Amino acid sequence: MTANKTQPTGRSVEDFIAAVEHPTRRADALVLDAMFRRVTGWQPRMWGPTLIGYGEYHYAYDSGRTGDFLATGFSPRKANLVLYIMPGYTKFDEFMDRLGKYKLGKSCLYINKLTDVNLDVVEELVQAGIDDLSNRWPVKGT
């Protein structure tokens, strides 16, 4: 089996955020970085060229595929902010009803800008995601 395409890198999180072109997206990334650090208690590191991850976990699927991935994190993409709650948002309707304006993928929460959402709910989601992930696989801090 092939290794995950997205792996930790040595790139500086601070340099990555400073290079975000759009000023609102860059400011939102700074807020999210501080929030993820506070909620998780972990230091961030870059995963691939654009993902800022906090913690990591090792998974082993029934298919036999295994690997390591970030436990939670975000990416300040050009079109929107993407928040990653692993393994996904399927159990979190109680939070989603209070969140604000967003779009949802399996493990991705798409937000245009932080003023569109309730940051307290984002914090709750991040913590709930870490708790849920920890019940499935061992999670370790970074």
Side-chain angles (χ1 to χ4, degrees):
M1 281 190 212
T2 61
N4 280 345
K5 181 172 75 171
T6 306
Q7 296 287 330
T9 71
R11 185 172 183 193
S12 160
V13 170
E14 292 78 10
D15 290 348
F16 172 70
I17 292 174
V20 173
E21 288 183 29
H22 193 280
T24 300
R25 190 87 62 240
R26 185 173 51 253
D28 285 352
L30 290 168
V31 170
L32 284 173
D33 179 41
M35 186 269 303
F36 272 92
R37 288 175 192 243
R38 183 175 61 255
V39 171
T40 66
W42 300 327
Q43 294 300 307
R45 68 179 170 175
M46 295 300 300
W47 286 74
T50 62
L51 297 178
I52 301 170
Y54 304 80
E56 69 178 72
Y57 71 103
H58 180 78
Y59 61 84
Y61 295 140
D62 291 340
S63 67
R65 182 167 178 83
T66 63
D68 299 296
F69 201 60
L70 58 97
T72 191
F74 73 97
S75 180
R77 295 188 182 166
K78 193 171 202 167
N80 47 37
L81 299 163
V82 184
L83 280 65
Y84 297 90
I85 302 293
M86 311 313 286
Y89 289 88
T90 57
K91 295 181 174 182
F92 301 127
D93 289 342
E94 66 193 77
F95 302 108
M96 308 317 284
D97 293 341
R98 299 182 291 123
L99 182 59
K101 186 179 172 184
Y102 67 90
K103 290 183 182 176
L104 198 58
K106 183 177 180 199
S107 296
C108 302
L109 176 70
Y110 300 94
I111 299 170
N112 287 331
K113 56 191 177 303
L114 289 183
T115 56
D116 289 342
V117 295
N118 182 326
L119 279 176
D120 292 335
V121 176
V122 174
E123 287 188 24
E124 292 176 42
L125 266 171
V126 170
Q127 186 61 61
I130 293 293
D131 294 344
D132 182 51
L133 183 63
S134 296
N135 288 328
R136 298 169 190 244
W137 291 291
V139 175
K140 62 181 180 180
T142 49

